[in-house]
């Protein structure tokens, strides 16, 4: 089974492309591509072969035929392919009178020669003949030889492969790609020593394919079904498949849902390796399958009743065959689905008996599992053994242990199990010492802290039907309102307003102070109204009066933000210090993380990007430690990504943003993360990737219910910048029209000024620009960073207004800002002005510096700067491109793939690929992104 689509693997394709680029120059190369079954080796190689410019592609696969595969099977397949393409005479002509030697592979080449020679001599002649054939083929055009499934290769095939890789002549334009299943390579497998030996050769490179990330699984699901999957579906598929693309596809039912039971074809694949093991080993694996994803050796010894050294002897074949992996003092199945397949094969009586034995063993000795895991393991085994009372009691213990360990998703899972079992266990409340409504309340809180807002809202609805006491209802309503806000529901504030009404203002209480503090926090995050200030002031004064540290710290953080926006006055950092001290004194993790969010936000706005990075990075780790990465940690990732982008550390920013997106954060966070992700990709020249990120933001539309400036204005700016890359000035200005509306919000100028610069670049006439000039007159400007942005807007506007541009002031502002990318942009714009004014030496110097900066960043701007420098020196922007290459270059500027270019220009994909390679060489650029930027410069 091979996937119809390829997801991820861009880095792996880049490696293969680079190796091929070297090979086609006459330096033979090889790549050994390994990975477990289903991870996508064949799909990757097919994609690579389809984009290998001008190459003849020969493919042969090894066959599974017992202990040793069919002799020379892949080379026989290659010969058959050549006969189909060249004819028997064509192949014969390549090797001359020695062609009969190939009859050892195919009888079509006639009788064997040298019948009286020794087997060694005959093999040597065959090897030399195959080498000659390949070198002759590579002399006419680059040759790509693919040998698949080398884990099934016989000794003759392995020997021939090794011979070729050692003896290929310099000047041969040949690349060999070998694929193999790494999970099949047990310790005694004959391919292992060969791989180690070949990897030492300079011309050989080894590449291991990893499983897909959660985000890539979501992308694969979307491509297979044509619609974006729900986050819950992604979690299901990612958890069961563990990122194996074949398993994702096999587990997907026709309607896009996940199969509850393993499909038979997948089950057969998973169990194939198990069924080859000795029976005593299979029996141990059946017992182990009931133990969970990982189990300790001592626990397995106790449950099986098999003592060492016999247990180790029985397990060794499973470890050697890569069915089990040694994990510290225990074992784990190589893939969870293998364990699931073995476990599903248990008979009903075996299933109950084994789980009961595990539970009884752990009741006696909790040290048989990793410290802290005994209660969770007991809950699992009693539940699986259908002992409902034991399952209820152990789930309650596990939920309390999970809460102490900040393992909120597991706490939620255990509490929901208790709710499920409540009516099935007589007198359930007395057995755990808690009422049903209280369990519901705890589940709501666990869902909130775990970031599972959709589930939390449903639980809160159920809890509100059970609970009628005003204060408890108020806290439930606040929590439900918070979760509604995260999911983008417009009625979130109604819950919090109702909560405030449930608690009287007199006498002052902690309950009312905390409800008010929460309401102020979330109201300010959106509309930032005076109502939020009134609520925060009341919360702060009453909290101080009664000594409620939590409410005081929370209200103080909100008020600091409400007084924000002035990045030339950083006294607010001192106020945050007080909030931090209060939170630290009471161990308030959520408020400590809020402080870090706002501190990094303020530092970034003030242009202190490095300090912002330090604060955000440290706090992200703290969020992970206390189980809050999905919610507050993802918010911090937005700030960290923004600051890394400002510093030009784009390679560091992308994984931060992508890891946060993979955690399935709240919808508003997804939008912000995607927007910053799009900014980075666009700066790197990945127009298509930036457009995908923008599409995510647009689909979420989360700013519409809340009007958060920090979310909506950067999205409008990104949309405008993307439109400009396509030369669509009208669409760019239409996207930016909302920034002309005054919001009277603290952070308004921070987000509007960068968008104003894009508006000035998009405007072509004074009439188009005038509304933005009028907006600039009224827009505040705080701190050195915003002053640099204002000066850049003025310099860009001068082009349209045909007035002198003061680029020196803009450059000076960016020099001190610590942002190399806008500095490079300003230098290049200034160079263009210098050139128009006849200051060619100054223009050349500025363009050269812009080029150096852009190249150091990996920015697509480098191509634009390079083109300007060439035009300045030669006066011709054509670079020797043919008419067809100019057409292809225009397609590149639109971010189109080779296939799309081919379809649009009515040429083959291979021809399009050749044109792209020629364009990159003529423009002197290294990537399609840089070429696209050059295209925009050529047509400017």
């Amino acid at each position: 089974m091979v996937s119809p689509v390829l997801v991820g693997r861009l880095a792996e394709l880049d490696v293969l492309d680079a190796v091929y680029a070297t090979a086609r120059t006459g330096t033979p190369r090889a790549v050994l591509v390994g990975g477990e079954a289903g991870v996508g080796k064949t799909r990757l190689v097919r994609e690579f072969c389809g984009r290998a410019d001008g190459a003849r592609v020969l493919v042969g696969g090894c066959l599974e035929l017992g202990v040793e595969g069919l002799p020379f099977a892949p080379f026989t397949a290659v010969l058959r392919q050549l006969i189909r393409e060249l004819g028997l005479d064509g192949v014969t002509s390549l090797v001359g009178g020695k062609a009969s030697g190939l009859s050892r592979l195919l009888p079509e080449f006639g009788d064997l020669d040298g019948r009286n020679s020794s087997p060694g001599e005959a093999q040597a002649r065959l090897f030399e003949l195959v080498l000659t054939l390949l070198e002759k083929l590579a002399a006419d055009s680059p040759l790509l030889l693919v040998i698949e499934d080398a884990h099934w290769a016989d000794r003759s095939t392995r020997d021939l492969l090794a011979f070729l890789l050692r003896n290929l002549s310099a000047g041969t334009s040949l690349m060999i790609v070998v694929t193999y299943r790494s999970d099949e390579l047990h310790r005694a497998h004959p391919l292992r020593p060969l791989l180690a030996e070949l990897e030492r050769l300079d011309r050989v490179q080894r590449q291991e394919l990893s499983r897909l990330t959660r985000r890539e699984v979501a992308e694969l699901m979307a491509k297979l079904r044509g619609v974006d999957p729900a986050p819950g579906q992604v979690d299901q598929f990612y958890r069961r498949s563990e990122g194996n693309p074949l398993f994702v596809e096999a587990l997907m039912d026709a309607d896009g849902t996940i199969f509850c039971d393993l499909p038979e074809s997948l089950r057969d694949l998973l169990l194939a390796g198990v069924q080859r093991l000795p029976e005593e080993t299979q029996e141990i694996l059946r017992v182990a399958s009931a133990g969970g994803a990982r189990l300790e050796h001592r626990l397995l010894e106790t449950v099986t009743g098999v003592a060492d050294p016999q247990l180790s002897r029985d397990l060794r074949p499973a470890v050697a065959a890569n069915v089990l992996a040694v994990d510290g003092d225990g074992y784990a199945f190589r893939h969870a689905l293998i364990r699931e397949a073995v476990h599903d094969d248990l008979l009903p009586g075996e299933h109950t008996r084994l789980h009961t034995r595990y539970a009884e063993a752990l009741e006696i000795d909790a040290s048989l599992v990793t410290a802290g895991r005994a209660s969770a393991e007991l809950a699992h085994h009693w539940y699986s053994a259908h002992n409902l009372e034991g399952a209820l009691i152990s789930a309650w213990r596990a939920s309390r242990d999970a809460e102490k360990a900040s393992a909120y998703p597991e706490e939620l899972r255990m509490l929901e199990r208790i709710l499920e079992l409540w009516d099935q266990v007589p007198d359930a409340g007395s057995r755990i010492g808690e009422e049903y409504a209280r369990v519901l309340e705890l589940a709501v809180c666990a869902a909130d802290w775990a970031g599972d807002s959709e589930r939390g809202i449903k639980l809160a609805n159920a809890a509100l039907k059970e609970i009628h006491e005003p204060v408890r209802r108020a806290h439930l309503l606040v929590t439900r309102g918070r979760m509604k806000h995260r999911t983008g529901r417009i009625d979130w504030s109604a819950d919090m307003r109702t909560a405030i009404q449930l608690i009287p203002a007199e006498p002052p209480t902690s309950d009312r102070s905390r409800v008010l503090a929460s309401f102020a926090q979330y109201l300010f995050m959106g509309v930032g109204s005076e109502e939020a200030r009134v609520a925060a002031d009341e919360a702060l004064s009453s909290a101080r009066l009664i000594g409620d540290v939590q409410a005081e710290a929370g209200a103080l953080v909100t008020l600091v933000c409400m007084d924000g926006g002035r990045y030339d006055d950083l006294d607010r950092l001192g106020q945050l210090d007080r909030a931090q001290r209060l939170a630290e004194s009471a161990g308030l993790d959520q408020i400590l993380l809020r402080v870090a969010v706002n501190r990094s936000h303020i530092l970034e706005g003030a242009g202190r990007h490095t300090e912002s990075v330090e604060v955000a990075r440290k706090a992200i780790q703290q969020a992970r430690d206390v189980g809050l990465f999905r919610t507050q940690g993802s918010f911090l990732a937005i700030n960290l990504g923004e600051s890394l982008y400002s510093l030009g550390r784009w390679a560091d920013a992308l994984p931060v943003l992508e890891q946060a997106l993979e955690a399935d954060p709240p919808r508003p966070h997804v939008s912000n993360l995607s927007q910053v992700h799009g900014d980075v990709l666009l700066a790197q020249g990945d127009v298509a990737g930036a457009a995908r990120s923008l599409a995510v933001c647009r689909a979420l539309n989360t700013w519409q219910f809340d009007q958060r400036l920090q979310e909506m204005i950067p999205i409008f700016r990104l949309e405008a910048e993307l439109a400009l890359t396509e030369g669509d000035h009208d669409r760019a200005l239409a996207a930016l029209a909302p920034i002309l509306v005054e919001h009277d919000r603290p952070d308004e100028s921070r987000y509007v000024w960068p968008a104003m610069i894009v508006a000035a670049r998009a405007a072509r006439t004074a009439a188009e620009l005038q509304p933005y000039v009028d907006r600039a007159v009224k827009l505040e400007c705080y701190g050195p960073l915003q002053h640099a942005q204002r000066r850049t807007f003025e310099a860009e506007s001068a082009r349209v207004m045909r007035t002198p541009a003061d680029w020196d002031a803009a450059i000076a502002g960016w020099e001190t800002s610590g942002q190399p990318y806008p500095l490079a942009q300003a230098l290049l714009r200034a160079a263009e002005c210098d050139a128009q004014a006849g200051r060619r030496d100054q223009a050349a110097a500025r363009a050269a510096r812009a080029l150096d900066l852009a190249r150091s960043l990996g920015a697509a701007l480098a191509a634009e700067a390079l083109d300007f420098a060439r035009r300045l020196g030669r006066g011709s922007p054509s670079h020797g491109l043919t008419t067809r290459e100019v057409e292809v270059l225009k397609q590149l500027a639109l971010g189109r793939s080779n296939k799309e270019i081919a379809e649009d220009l009515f040429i083959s994909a291979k021809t399009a690929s050749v044109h792209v390679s020629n364009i990159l060489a003529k423009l002197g650029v290294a990537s399609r992104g840089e070429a696209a930027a050059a295209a925009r410069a050529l047509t400017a």
Side-chain angles (χ1 to χ4, degrees):
M1 298 175 65
V2 180
S3 171
V5 296
L6 183 70
V7 169
R9 309 305 187 205
L10 293 179
E12 291 85 351
L13 279 171
D14 285 344
V15 170
L16 292 170
D17 287 343
V19 173
Y20 176 64
T22 300
R24 68 181 298 178
T25 65
T27 307
R29 286 288 185 266
V31 180
L32 311 176
V33 181
E36 67 181 358
V39 82
K41 302 179 294 298
T42 299
R43 185 65 186 83
L44 170 70
V45 172
R46 286 188 183 179
E47 180 73 17
F48 164 63
C49 291
R51 54 196 265 167
D53 304 339
R56 176 190 294 277
V57 180
L58 301 176
V59 181
C62 303
L63 303 177
E64 184 183 19
L65 295 172
V67 178
E68 282 282 337
L70 188 67
F72 299 118
F75 294 99
T76 300
V78 164
L79 268 183
R80 290 194 184 280
Q81 180 183 342
L82 281 173
I83 290 175
R84 287 194 300 271
E85 294 177 3
L86 304 178
L88 186 61
D89 292 341
V91 177
T92 301
S93 66
L94 291 172
V95 292
K98 301 178 181 179
S100 60
L102 294 174
S103 58
R104 295 180 184 277
L105 301 180
L106 281 179
E108 286 92 327
F109 288 96
D111 295 332
L112 291 174
D113 60 349
R115 292 178 182 274
N116 296 324
S117 60
S118 68
E121 290 173 334
Q123 186 181 74
R125 282 197 296 271
L126 175 63
F127 285 13
E128 287 288 352
L129 199 55
V130 173
L131 176 61
T132 300
L133 175 63
L134 294 177
E135 289 183 338
K136 288 288 185 65
L137 286 167
D140 294 332
S141 63
L143 180 62
L144 180 55
L145 175 64
V146 179
I147 306 297
E148 294 205 272
D149 297 321
H151 51 281
W152 289 328
D154 65 294
R155 178 170 180 175
S156 297
T157 297
R158 295 194 300 270
D159 290 345
L160 176 50
L161 181 61
F163 174 83
L164 293 174
L165 290 175
R166 291 193 189 96
N167 292 281
L168 284 168
S169 303
T172 303
S173 299
L174 171 63
M175 176 177 174
I176 299 177
V177 179
V178 180
T179 70
Y180 62 92
R181 289 186 187 173
S182 52
D183 51 315
E184 293 276 356
L185 303 188
H186 53 77
R187 293 179 181 177
H189 197 289
L191 187 63
R192 288 175 71 104
L194 177 61
L195 292 174
E197 181 182 345
L198 294 178
E199 196 175 6
R200 289 196 290 269
L201 299 176
D202 291 339
R203 62 179 52 170
V204 178
Q205 191 166 338
R206 194 165 174 177
Q207 187 179 59
E208 289 288 327
L209 292 195
S210 59
R211 296 170 182 173
L212 300 181
T213 64
R214 181 190 179 281
R215 192 173 184 214
E216 289 167 340
V217 167
E219 185 181 347
L220 175 59
M221 294 171 66
K223 287 187 175 181
L224 290 170
R225 293 285 300 147
V227 294
D228 290 329
Q233 275 189 314
V234 178
D235 288 338
Q236 283 183 314
F237 275 88
Y238 182 61
R239 184 170 57 251
R240 283 188 76 189
S241 71
E242 294 185 340
N244 184 299
L246 173 63
F247 296 171
V248 172
E249 296 167 34
L251 288 168
M252 186 175 288
D253 206 344
D255 61 357
T257 59
I258 195 166
F259 279 111
C260 294
D261 297 324
L262 290 176
E264 285 302 315
S265 59
L266 181 56
R267 183 188 303 278
D268 292 344
L269 173 66
L270 293 166
L271 291 178
V274 175
Q275 291 166 349
R276 289 194 292 263
L277 298 172
E279 180 53 41
E280 58 271 20
T281 301
Q282 292 188 47
E283 178 58 34
I284 296 293
L285 289 176
R286 283 190 280 273
V287 177
S289 72
R294 183 191 182 281
L295 69 162
E296 301 290 336
H297 183 87
R298 288 177 55 230
L299 177 59
L300 189 57
E301 191 176 19
T302 301
V303 174
T304 60
V306 180
D308 259 341
Q310 183 61 47
L311 179 61
S312 294
R313 283 197 295 268
D314 291 344
L315 285 169
R316 190 171 297 281
V319 174
N322 283 327
V323 173
L324 279 186
V326 175
D327 185 6
D329 294 330
Y331 308 94
F333 281 86
R334 177 177 53 79
H335 197 288
L337 285 182
I338 298 177
R339 186 203 69 80
E340 184 179 331
V342 175
H343 188 257
D344 287 350
D345 264 6
L346 295 175
L347 298 174
E350 287 182 299
H351 182 280
T352 300
R353 183 172 66 255
L354 283 176
H355 283 289
T356 300
R357 281 159 59 184
Y358 274 105
E360 289 172 346
L362 292 174
E363 291 280 16
I364 295 170
D365 185 0
S367 71
L368 291 172
V369 295
T370 306
R373 290 294 305 165
S375 58
E377 295 289 339
L378 272 169
H380 165 69
H381 289 301
W382 281 132
Y383 185 77
S384 298
H386 311 297
N387 185 319
L388 301 186
E389 180 179 345
L392 178 82
I393 295 170
S394 56
W396 174 250
R397 292 174 187 161
S399 74
R400 298 306 83 213
D401 288 345
E403 192 273 336
K404 292 174 186 175
S406 300
Y408 303 113
E410 184 159 313
E411 180 192 6
L412 175 61
R413 186 163 59 87
M414 290 295 101
L415 290 170
E416 289 193 306
R417 179 169 293 173
I418 293 168
L419 296 172
E420 172 196 338
L421 294 171
W422 196 270
D423 291 334
Q424 301 178 54
V425 178
D427 200 17
S430 64
R431 296 183 187 279
I432 65 172
E434 201 56 84
E435 62 173 0
Y436 181 77
R438 178 56 182 160
V439 176
L440 271 171
E441 281 181 302
L442 291 171
V444 172
C445 291
D448 179 29
W449 282 61
D452 193 347
S453 300
E454 293 289 355
R455 185 63 188 144
I457 291 168
K458 293 177 182 177
L459 288 164
N461 294 340
L464 286 167
K465 293 177 182 177
E466 299 285 336
I467 296 170
H468 305 287
E469 196 276 313
V471 172
R472 290 173 71 184
R473 287 184 65 83
H475 286 296
L476 277 170
L477 285 166
V478 167
T479 304
R480 188 175 72 175
R482 179 164 54 242
M483 292 186 289
K484 284 182 176 180
H485 186 279
R486 288 191 196 131
T487 56
R489 300 193 186 185
I490 200 166
D491 61 337
W492 68 270
S493 62
D495 277 355
M496 293 195 179
R497 286 191 171 92
T498 302
I500 294 171
Q501 294 169 3
L502 287 172
I503 307 176
E506 295 295 336
T509 61
S510 291
D511 293 310
R512 183 174 173 87
S513 297
R514 293 181 184 185
V515 169
L516 284 166
S518 291
F519 176 61
Q521 172 191 350
Y522 282 88
L523 191 64
F524 167 71
M525 284 171 63
V527 298
S529 67
E530 187 61 28
E531 185 182 10
R533 182 179 292 278
V534 171
D537 283 336
E538 182 184 342
L540 182 63
S541 59
S542 62
R544 285 175 171 170
L545 185 65
I546 61 179
D548 188 321
V549 173
Q550 178 177 331
E552 180 182 357
L556 190 58
V557 173
T558 300
L559 287 168
V560 167
C561 297
M562 293 193 73
D563 295 333
R566 290 187 56 91
Y567 296 103
D568 53 354
D569 175 13
L570 298 185
D571 288 344
R572 294 173 298 152
L573 294 177
Q575 294 174 287
L576 281 180
D577 290 340
R578 171 168 173 74
Q580 181 169 334
R581 288 193 296 271
L582 288 170
E584 287 174 340
S585 69
L588 303 172
D589 294 325
Q590 285 187 312
I591 293 180
L592 281 171
L593 293 172
R594 272 193 69 201
V595 169
V597 165
N598 288 282
R599 189 185 300 279
S600 58
H601 170 85
I602 291 169
L603 289 169
E604 171 61 22
R608 292 161 62 173
H609 314 298
T610 301
E611 293 173 73
S612 174
V613 166
E614 292 171 357
V615 170
R617 196 180 291 283
K618 179 180 178 182
I620 284 174
Q621 185 55 53
Q622 292 170 339
R624 292 185 189 279
D625 293 342
V626 297
L628 295 174
F629 178 73
R630 188 178 182 185
T631 51
Q632 288 177 284
S634 61
F635 203 137
L636 285 157
I638 299 166
N639 291 4
L640 178 56
E642 186 180 6
S643 294
L644 290 170
Y645 172 75
S646 295
L647 290 169
R649 293 168 53 184
W650 300 340
D652 294 333
L654 287 175
V656 167
L657 299 166
E658 289 163 3
Q659 287 169 19
L661 285 166
E662 287 170 9
D664 188 24
R667 285 163 56 91
H669 298 190
V670 172
S671 185
N672 280 121
L673 289 162
S674 298
Q675 172 262 310
V676 180
H677 193 259
D679 280 343
V680 176
L681 294 180
L682 185 58
Q684 292 178 325
D686 185 355
V687 177
R692 287 193 295 271
S693 293
L694 175 64
V696 171
C697 303
R698 278 292 183 187
L700 290 168
N701 259 353
T702 52
W703 67 86
Q704 301 236 339
F705 84 98
D706 185 323
Q707 294 293 296
R708 295 176 67 194
L709 298 185
Q710 69 187 77
E711 185 175 332
M712 64 179 183
I713 293 180
I715 289 171
F716 300 154
R717 174 186 51 72
L718 175 59
E719 185 167 7
E721 290 190 279
L722 273 166
L724 283 182
T725 65
E726 299 173 5
D728 193 338
H729 292 251
D730 292 334
R731 183 158 62 88
L733 290 171
L736 292 170
I739 73 171
L740 294 172
V741 178
E742 296 182 40
H743 295 276
D744 190 28
R745 302 271 287 282
D747 267 7
E748 183 172 13
S749 60
R750 171 173 178 171
Y751 299 106
V752 173
W753 276 119
M756 293 279 282
I757 295 171
V758 181
R761 290 175 182 160
R764 292 157 296 185
T765 66
E768 288 179 339
L769 182 62
Q770 191 60 51
Y772 297 95
V773 173
D774 296 340
R775 178 84 164 96
V777 172
K778 300 177 183 179
L779 190 61
E780 299 288 354
C781 194
Y782 298 118
L785 181 57
Q786 290 181 22
H787 281 289
Q789 292 164 344
R790 177 173 61 83
R791 289 168 183 152
T792 303
F793 169 76
E794 292 168 349
E796 292 281 6
S797 299
R799 170 187 58 83
V800 183
M801 297 298 191
R802 301 187 183 282
T803 59
D806 187 2
W807 278 109
D808 289 335
I811 291 170
W814 291 118
E815 292 278 12
T816 59
S817 73
Q819 292 193 24
Y821 185 48
L823 172 60
Q825 290 175 309
L827 284 165
L828 186 55
R829 301 292 176 263
E832 292 168 349
C833 285
D834 289 335
Q836 292 171 0
R839 298 185 294 269
R840 296 179 64 84
D841 289 345
Q842 182 166 305
R846 282 176 164 168
R849 189 176 174 209
L851 178 59
D852 288 343
L853 279 171
R855 280 179 167 167
S856 69
L857 294 169
L861 183 71
E864 190 177 343
L866 180 62
D867 179 75
F868 174 79
R870 286 174 171 171
R871 282 186 287 143
L872 191 65
R874 299 178 186 173
S876 171
S878 68
H879 308 298
L881 297 181
T882 65
T883 302
R884 175 61 88 182
E885 286 167 351
V886 170
E887 292 174 344
V888 173
L889 183 58
K890 289 177 181 177
Q891 298 281 326
L892 279 178
L894 299 178
R896 291 178 176 165
S897 67
N898 289 353
K899 182 180 178 183
E900 291 169 330
I901 293 171
E903 291 172 351
D904 196 62
L905 298 181
F906 301 102
I907 58 178
S908 71
K910 184 165 289 188
T911 299
S913 181
V914 170
H915 283 315
V916 170
S917 297
N918 292 339
I919 289 168
L920 297 183
K922 289 180 180 181
L923 294 180
V925 295
S927 69
R928 298 169 71 93
E930 289 186 33
R936 294 190 288 275
L938 286 170
T939 56

